[in-house]
Amino acid sequence: MSTVERAAPAQAAARPATRRRLRDREWVWGYAMIAPLVLGLGVFYLWPVIQSIYYSFTEWTLFGDSSWVGLSNYEKLFTDAAYGKALRNTFLYGGLSLLGIPVSIAVAALLNTKGLRLVSFYRTLYFLPVVTMPTAVAMIWTWLYNGDYGLINYVLSLVGIEGTSWIANPSTALYALVLVGVWTQIGYNAVIFMAGLQSIPSHLYEAASIDGAGRVRQFFKVTLPLLSPSVFFVSVLSVINGLQMFDLVYLMFRKGNPAREDTQTVVSLFFSRAFEEGAKGYAAAMAVVLMLITLLLTVVQFRMQKRWVHYA
C-alpha cells in the first residue's frame, strides 16, 4: 500500500474534527458579537421589568424601606377613580392616535409623486417634528393653544369665531393633546409609508390602468393592499406609543391646570404616584398592568393582521 493510500483514512478521520472546531469557533464569535446587545437588553430592559413586578407586591416608605403587601396594590387599582380615568384617557389617546395613519399615507403619497419639486425640502419639513425635543414641541403648542394670545384663537377671530382655552378646557384638552401627538408622528410614519410605496412594482399600476381602473380604484385595489404590511407596522407602534404617552402630558398640563385630571394618562399618573407621592409599590402595579395591557393589545393586533395584511 502506498504512502498516499495509507494517509487517506487519517485525513478523512481528521476532517470531522476540523469542521467541529471551526463550527465551535463560529459559535464563540457569534455569541461574542451579540453579547453587548444581550447584556444591554438584560440590564436596561429585562431586569427593570423583573424589579417592577416584584415592587408591585410591596409598599415603600419615605426612607426607602419596603414591606411585602401581596395583592393589595392591585386591589387598590380597582377602586382608584383617578386610575380609572387615566386608563380611559390612555385608551382614548391610543385609539385616536391611529387617525394619524391616513394623514401619514396621504403625505407619503404626495411626497412620492414623480416630478415633485423641492421634495427633499418637504421631506425634511415633515420630519422635523420627529427630531424636535418634546420640551420645544410643548412650548410651541402651549403658545398656539393659549386662550388669551394664542395664534389659533387669533386666526379664528378673523372669521368671527371665538376660541377657547384649548388646553385648560376639560372638554377640549385631551383632543388638543391628541392633535399634538399625531402631528409629531406624521413625519416618521410618512417615511415608513414612502418606503412601502416605492417597493410596489409599477407594472401593477400599468395592468390596473389597462383594465380600466382609475386613480381612486388603483389606490384601494393595488396600493392599499400592498401597503398593508407598513400600515400594520405603523399601527402597532402607534398604539404602543399612545399607551406610553407621558412627556407632552407632563409638559403641557402642569399643576393648577383645571384640565390636568382630565388628560392624565397611566404613565403620567405613575410618575405622580411614584416620584411626587412616594407610593412606588402602587405605581409599580400600575406599570405592570399597563405592560400586560400593551402585550395583550399587541397580540390581538398580530392575530387580526392575518385577515387584512397581504405580504405577497
Side-chain angles (χ1 to χ4, degrees), residues 207-224:
S209 179
I210 293 174
D211 290 339
R215 293 273 184 168
V216 176
R217 191 171 183 183
Q218 288 180 22
F219 176 79
F220 285 101
K221 296 297 183 179
V222 179
T223 304
L224 204 55

Side-chain angles (χ1 to χ4, degrees), residues 15 31 101-102 152 156 227 236 246 276 286:
R15 286 180 194 139
Y31 282 120
I101 293 179
I152 294 177
L156 292 176
L227 197 63
V236 171
F246 167 71
E276 295 178 357
M286 291 183 184

